[in-house]
Amino acid sequence: MKRAILLLMLALWPSLARAGLTEQQIRRVGFDPPAGAHVPLSLTFTDLDGRQVSVREAINGRPTLLIPADFTCQQICGPALTIASSALRQTGLTPGRDYSLVIVGIDPRDGIDDARRFTQGQIGDAGTAVLTGSRETIAALLDAIGYHTEVDGDDDAIAHPAAFVTLAPDGRLVRALSSLALQPGDLRLALLEAGNGRNGGLAGRIALLCYGFDAVHGIYTSRIITSLQLFGAATFAVMAALIGLMLMRSRRPGASA
């Protein structure tokens, strides 16, 4: 498991961006929740039925898993939603009673059809809100929780953190979670904490990005390749050392053939 996570982190190394963003822009991307982070409940978005829905209505008085997502991204956002949906089913909690699920599009260019395609077959209706919004509304929500993105106009992509948050019924941010290493037990605890008004783990900065893979050409950028090569070289060195040790032991007097 740890090895798989390490490989994934290397593949998504924050500074390994496509040419569309500068190193300085990439460094600005991350999830760094401020103390006392609180989502404004009056912010209004549009749901899948075209209705205007406030954050207060979407949360509906329940602890909430808030998922910021790029509805046209299938590299990481799609699999991350699958991970979240699976983890929620395994928590033993009932949607619409024990928690709400709110998925907010972070790209104002995405519309209802994009949101519907992105979530189709992944989520149920109970206690779930899938929302699109204006540039100003999205920015207000993301700024409130310390979720920093950068737009790559050259590649029509948005660099953003791979992270979810849980909210208390009053909109207060309770816990930050990595969307790519989400475990059902951790998610259950985070939702229970949100329901009880307890403050969870907000320390540290989540900087793992959904960015860096060239989906058009099916390749990673040069720095990603370099990192993967270094990882491969280290793995080869360890294997070579183990093989050498085995050969030395086999040559000892009395060793079996």
Side-chain angles (χ1 to χ4, degrees), residues 67-122:
I67 299 180
D70 181 350
F71 291 146
T72 59
C73 167
Q74 294 300 324
Q75 298 169 16
I76 296 301
C77 290
L81 180 59
T82 301
I83 292 171
S85 299
S86 176
L88 283 169
R89 287 192 294 270
Q90 297 177 64
T91 61
L93 302 176
T94 302
R97 186 191 71 186
D98 299 325
Y99 69 88
S100 295
L101 171 63
V102 179
I103 305 172
V104 177
I106 63 173
D107 190 342
R109 298 171 296 182
D110 293 344
I112 294 175
D113 289 340
D114 297 312
R116 188 175 287 114
R117 281 191 295 268
F118 179 77
T119 57
Q120 187 173 18
Q122 297 271 42

Side-chain angles (χ1 to χ4, degrees), residues 4-126:
I5 293 174
L6 177 58
L7 285 170
L8 183 59
M9 291 181 70
L10 284 171
L12 296 172
W13 198 265
S15 63
L16 311 181
R18 287 173 284 182
L21 292 183
T22 65
E23 294 292 334
Q24 184 177 9
Q25 287 176 303
I26 287 295
R27 283 195 295 270
R28 289 200 294 264
V29 179
F31 185 33
D32 192 12
H38 192 286
V39 174
L41 297 180
S42 60
L43 290 176
T44 302
F45 294 84
T46 304
D47 69 7
L48 292 182
D49 294 321
R51 297 174 302 191
Q52 296 299 296
V53 177
S54 69
V55 172
R56 177 180 287 103
E57 292 170 322
I59 290 176
N60 198 19
R62 293 184 286 260
T64 296
L65 177 63
L66 173 64
I67 299 180
D70 181 350
F71 291 146
T72 59
C73 167
Q74 294 300 324
Q75 298 169 16
I76 296 301
C77 290
L81 180 59
T82 301
I83 292 171
S85 299
S86 176
L88 283 169
R89 287 192 294 270
Q90 297 177 64
T91 61
L93 302 176
T94 302
R97 186 191 71 186
D98 299 325
Y99 69 88
S100 295
L101 171 63
V102 179
I103 305 172
V104 177
I106 63 173
D107 190 342
R109 298 171 296 182
D110 293 344
I112 294 175
D113 289 340
D114 297 312
R116 188 175 287 114
R117 281 191 295 268
F118 179 77
T119 57
Q120 187 173 18
Q122 297 271 42
I123 58 173
D125 293 330

Side-chain angles (χ1 to χ4, degrees), residues 207-252:
L208 182 62
L209 305 188
C210 177
Y211 193 69
F213 183 76
D214 186 344
V216 176
H217 300 94
I219 59 174
Y220 290 103
T221 53
S222 60
R223 292 191 179 184
I224 293 179
I225 293 174
T226 300
S227 294
L228 292 175
Q229 288 174 338
L230 290 173
F231 181 80
T235 301
F236 178 80
V238 172
M239 292 178 63
L242 290 174
I243 292 172
L245 181 60
M246 292 172 62
L247 289 175
M248 291 177 61
R249 288 180 175 175
S250 67
R251 293 173 181 172
R252 291 177 181 173

